[in-house]
Amino acid sequence: MPYCTSCGAEYKQGAKYCGECGASTEGDSAAPIRRSSAGAAPIRRSSAGAAPGSGSGPEIELWQGKPAGISDRLKGIIRLNTTTYTITSQRIMVKTGLIGKDVEEIELLRVNDFSVDQSIMQRILGIGILTVFSDDASSPQLILRRIRHPQTVKDALRKAVRDEKIANNISYREQI
């Protein structure tokens, strides 16, 4: 039986499209497919030789920030602003705590949507709240409070999410 070069799923001989991912099966010779050691599911190797599921490559820091409200700026002067937000090419991390550290993170592959909220005072100060909605079981909502230029950060995060999903061949189809 042949295997789809996009997702690695087995499809019937003569099928025009993969039943799993919907990719065309005609004229594909993109990436070689080999069977796993168990012989059950195929493992797709990219032409670059990356391991399956490795995604977009090494993790790169895209943005890092701290809460930037008036009280947060005062805390920063005396080094008590211990919350740090980090967006990398693979995940979003929120680190909090002065003595003990609490780290909350969401993989970019799990992100579904974003929301930016700004009050009038926050618009004057150039800060806002970025809420990230995901299908992560432990934290379906991750809130980045009082960040500077929240719309710019949201756009950078949106691009990173799209790039990570493309690198991992993840696409969504709506069923009507």
Side-chain angles (χ1 to χ4, degrees):
M1 293 287 264
Y3 296 94
C4 176
T5 57
S6 295
C7 70
E10 190 173 13
Y11 62 87
K12 292 183 180 180
Q13 187 72 32
K16 292 184 180 183
Y17 299 98
C18 173
E20 198 66 31
C21 69
S24 174
T25 59
E26 296 179 2
D28 277 345
S29 60
I33 304 280
R34 68 172 179 82
R35 288 197 174 269
S36 66
S37 58
I43 296 176
R44 186 172 146 237
R45 294 271 184 201
S46 68
S47 56
S54 65
S56 59
E59 190 170 18
I60 300 165
E61 186 175 290
L62 303 174
W63 178 83
Q64 185 171 16
K66 288 182 168 275
I70 295 171
S71 63
D72 298 304
R73 291 178 187 173
L74 294 174
K75 288 179 189 175
I77 292 171
I78 56 175
R79 305 223 183 245
L80 288 177
N81 190 353
T82 59
T83 302
T84 305
Y85 304 125
T86 307
I87 298 174
T88 69
S89 59
Q90 296 176 0
R91 59 191 167 153
I92 306 166
M93 295 179 286
V94 177
K95 295 179 185 176
T96 56
L98 182 61
I99 296 172
K101 289 288 184 184
D102 180 31
V103 179
E104 190 70 40
E105 58 182 64
I106 294 179
E107 296 290 326
L108 293 183
L109 295 174
R110 295 187 166 276
V111 172
N112 293 330
D113 201 8
F114 320 98
S115 172
V116 173
D117 295 318
Q118 285 183 300
S119 66
I120 294 173
M121 184 56 81
Q122 288 176 329
R123 289 190 68 191
I124 292 169
L125 294 172
I127 61 175
I129 299 170
L130 174 62
T131 306
V132 180
F133 301 96
S134 72
D135 58 2
D136 188 56
S138 65
S139 56
Q141 286 185 1
L142 189 63
I143 300 172
L144 285 68
R145 298 180 193 279
R146 298 182 301 272
I147 60 172
R148 293 183 187 168
H149 311 292
Q151 191 65 38
T152 305
V153 175
K154 182 198 76 104
D155 292 340
L157 180 59
R158 181 179 176 270
K159 183 182 182 324
V161 168
R162 290 175 58 91
D163 291 346
E164 186 68 7
K165 287 183 178 183
I166 288 170
N168 285 285
N169 274 339
I170 295 177
S171 62
Y172 296 99
R173 290 181 277 172
E174 289 188 30
Q175 295 181 2
I176 298 175

